[in-house]
Amino acid sequence: MASKVIHAYFNDDDILMQAVKKVKAAKHHIEEVYCPFPVHGLDKAMGLAPTRIAITSFMYGCLGLTVAIVMMNYIMIEDWPQDIGGKPSFSYIENMPAFVPIMFEMTVFFAAHLMVITFYLRSRLWPFKKAENPDVRTTDDHFVMEIEVHGDEKGLMTLLQESGAVEINKVEK
C-alpha cells in the first residue's frame, strides 16, 4: 500500500528551521528534509538521535594500533631480528620508541578508511546508486520537508503555508 506524503518547499534555511520546529510542535512526523547544504541544528530540531560514528572510529583506531603492535613484534622481534644502528632487537618494549610513528600511522589509517567504509554502508551509498532526492532543486537552492500524512491533512497544509512554504505538493510514495 502506497502512503501519501506532503512535500513542502522552502527557499530559506532559517524559514525551514522555524517550520521544522512548528511541525514538530504540532506532533507531526517529519520523514526527511532534503537540503542543498548542511543546515546547522536541523538534526536536533528534527529530533534525530546523535551519531555513533565517533565510537566506531575509536574502535577502528584501537584495531589499527593492535595490528601495528602485533605486526611489528612479529616482523622485527620474532621473525627476523636485526641489529639496526647498534640497537639489538631483544624485546619489543626496548625498541618501542622507534615504532611509535608506525603505530600512529596504522591507527589513523585504520580509523579513517574503516570509518569511510562504515559511513557509506550505513548510509546505503554504494556505486551506481540512483539519487533519492525528490526534486532536482534540492541540489541547488530549495529545501524540501517530507511529512507523512496521518489524519488532519488540511490542517497540516495550512500549518505549512503559515510556516513559509513556497510550494506544497501531495505525493504518493
Side-chain angles (χ1 to χ4, degrees), residues 64-173:
L65 181 64
T66 304
V67 167
I69 290 170
V70 169
M71 177 188 73
M72 288 181 302
N73 185 49
Y74 176 73
I75 292 171
M76 297 299 291
I77 306 301
E78 293 176 18
D79 185 41
W80 195 338
Q82 296 178 13
D83 188 358
I84 300 172
K87 298 176 186 172
S89 299
F90 295 130
S91 70
Y92 180 82
I93 204 73
E94 288 175 330
N95 294 308
M96 195 176 73
F99 298 152
V100 168
I102 298 168
M103 292 188 302
F104 172 76
E105 292 297 331
M106 290 291 281
T107 301
V108 172
F109 179 85
F110 269 68
H113 286 78
L114 292 176
M115 204 169 61
V116 167
I117 292 168
T118 301
F119 172 75
Y120 282 141
L121 291 175
R122 183 73 179 101
S123 301
R124 295 186 181 103
L125 293 173
W126 30 78
F128 312 111
K129 183 176 185 218
K130 190 174 183 260
E132 294 179 0
N133 58 336
D135 193 332
V136 294
R137 293 179 291 177
T138 60
T139 62
D140 188 25
D141 63 348
H142 277 71
F143 304 86
V144 176
M145 184 189 318
E146 184 177 272
I147 307 161
E148 194 167 346
V149 178
H150 293 295
D152 188 19
E153 184 178 330
K154 288 191 187 271
L156 177 58
M157 292 185 80
T158 304
L159 175 66
L160 290 169
Q161 274 185 329
E162 291 171 356
S163 298
V166 294
E167 183 181 333
I168 300 173
N169 297 329
K170 284 188 272 186
V171 180
E172 290 289 328
K173 196 168 184 186

Side-chain angles (χ1 to χ4, degrees), residues 54-64:
I55 297 168
T56 59
S57 174
F58 177 75
M59 291 188 309
Y60 293 151
C62 290
L63 176 67

Side-chain angles (χ1 to χ4, degrees), residues 2-73:
S3 61
K4 282 201 292 190
V5 294
I6 293 178
H7 287 166
Y9 293 78
F10 298 88
N11 56 9
D12 185 21
D13 57 334
D14 293 327
I15 296 171
L16 171 74
M17 281 294 290
Q18 296 304 318
V20 165
K21 291 175 184 175
K22 287 179 185 176
V23 168
K24 290 301 280 184
K27 305 287 188 215
H28 293 286
H29 177 66
I30 300 172
E31 289 289 324
E32 187 66 68
V33 176
Y34 299 93
C35 302
F37 55 84
V39 178
H40 181 70
L42 185 61
D43 52 343
K44 286 186 178 68
M46 288 178 61
L48 298 177
T51 181
R52 295 183 302 262
I53 199 153
I55 297 168
T56 59
S57 174
F58 177 75
M59 291 188 309
Y60 293 151
C62 290
L63 176 67
L65 181 64
T66 304
V67 167
I69 290 170
V70 169
M71 177 188 73
M72 288 181 302
N73 185 49

